[in-house]
């Protein structure tokens, strides 16, 4: 299968990494729209425009299906246009967490605004808007990270679990654990479950970003734990 994976930046690599480990026999094409991030602080219209350009690019590469490896785009999935199957990372939560008493969810401001998580989780939820995290993670300047996380998580003590509702957040999971040490749920888990059902084929990997610099290259290699990577800059439009 030829599979397109998209995100605003390096966050979707956390999904790609799990897929490369558990479902390696597919042709993966990744696109990170680094020039336009953070998506979570833009308007819906703006990010849907960017994402539809990426989807057109994937379709021109003859992909079979697309994974929206971005919580912010997933929470606006109904506005995305594709002739191919689109897999988002939020709707697979449906029915999976109803036995919990209370769940905290960290997500971007736009994801919180759309209320998407409420559609799929039938229990008490505490939504935490985390505008500072994506810029910290992309810039690799972690000096303020612990202070920021402590503030975001200060009211989550009585939650049974914490959902990392943005694919960037698993990159700082080790720091998140310091302030929430119960169950942490990353959304890539459900995508892997879905893709495990697909028939394996050829394997390959192509990585595209709209803006590339040294920090990005370092981050990509660190997240994927692969040193020999071909990373290309691709400007759409
Ligand atoms: N990885 C994106 C998400 O899952 C980050 C969005 C952003 O760029 O703010 O929501």
């Amino acid at each position: 299968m030829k599979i397109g994976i998209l995100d605003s930046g390096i966050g979707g690599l956390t999904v790609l990494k799990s897929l490369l480990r558990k479902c390696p026999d597919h042709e993966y094409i990744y696109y990170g729209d680094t020039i336009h991030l953070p998506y979570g602080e833009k308007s819906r219209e703006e990010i849907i425009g960017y994402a539809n350009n990426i989807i057109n690019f994937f379709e021109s590469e003859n992909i079979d299906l697309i994974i929206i490896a971005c919580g912010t785009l997933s929470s606006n999935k109904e506005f995305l246009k594709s002739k191919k199957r689109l897999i988002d990372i939020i709707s697979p939560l449906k029915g999976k967490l109803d036995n919990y008493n209370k769940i905290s969810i960290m997500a971007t401001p736009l994801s919180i605004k759309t209320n998407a998580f409420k559609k799929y989780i039938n229990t008490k939820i505490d939504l935490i808007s985390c505008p500072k995290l994506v810029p910290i993670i992309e810039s690799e300047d972690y000096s303020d990270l612990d202070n920021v996380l402590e503030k975001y998580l200060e009211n989550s003590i009585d939650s049974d679990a914490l959902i990392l509702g943005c694919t960037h957040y698993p990159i700082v999971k080790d720091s998140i654990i310091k302030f929430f040490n119960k169950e942490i749920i990353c959304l890539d888990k459900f995508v892997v479950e879905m893709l495990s059902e697909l028939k394996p084929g050829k394997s390959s990997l192509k990585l595209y970003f709209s803006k590339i610099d040294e920090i990005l290259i370092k981050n990509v290699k660190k997240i994927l734990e692969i040193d020999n990577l071909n990373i290309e800059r691709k400007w759409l439009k």
Side-chain angles (χ1 to χ4, degrees), residues 167-184:
T167 51
H168 277 74
Y169 304 166
I171 298 169
V172 293
K173 192 175 167 195
D174 287 348
S175 300
I176 292 174
I177 290 169
K178 290 191 236 162
F179 304 99
F180 187 90
N181 65 6
K182 287 181 249 177
E183 187 183 357
I184 295 184

Side-chain angles (χ1 to χ4, degrees), residues 70-89:
C70 171
T72 314
L73 286 173
S74 293
S75 59
N76 289 284
K77 186 188 171 189
E78 64 267 39
F79 301 98
L80 297 172
K81 284 199 192 75
S82 177
K83 293 182 212 89
K84 302 290 174 173
R85 182 176 167 206
L86 286 179
I87 294 181
D88 73 281
I89 57 169

Side-chain angles (χ1 to χ4, degrees), residues 150-210:
E150 188 173 18
K151 240 193 146 26
Y152 286 156
L153 292 167
E154 66 187 359
N155 295 321
S156 310
I157 306 162
D158 60 340
S159 292
D160 309 321
L162 172 69
I163 296 179
L164 306 189
C166 162
T167 51
H168 277 74
Y169 304 166
I171 298 169
V172 293
K173 192 175 167 195
D174 287 348
S175 300
I176 292 174
I177 290 169
K178 290 191 236 162
F179 304 99
F180 187 90
N181 65 6
K182 287 181 249 177
E183 187 183 357
I184 295 184
I185 300 165
C186 300
L187 301 177
D188 59 277
K189 180 177 160 197
F190 305 104
V191 179
V192 170
E193 279 171 19
M194 282 162 97
L195 259 67
S196 304
E197 286 159 22
L198 300 178
K199 215 174 124 209
K202 281 197 278 180
S203 60
S204 65
L205 173 62
K206 281 188 186 159
L207 297 164
Y208 297 99
F209 290 87
S210 48

Side-chain angles (χ1 to χ4, degrees), residues 40-79:
E41 289 182 80
K42 298 206 160 51
S43 68
R44 172 197 286 155
E45 293 69 27
E46 229 177 320
I47 67 161
I48 291 301
Y50 299 142
N52 281 331
N53 284 342
I54 303 169
I55 290 170
N56 288 341
F57 163 60
F58 284 156
E59 289 181 351
S60 73
E61 293 281 308
N62 294 318
I63 47 88
D64 300 298
L65 73 93
I66 295 172
I67 298 171
I68 310 162
C70 171
T72 314
L73 286 173
S74 293
S75 59
N76 289 284
K77 186 188 171 189
E78 64 267 39
F79 301 98

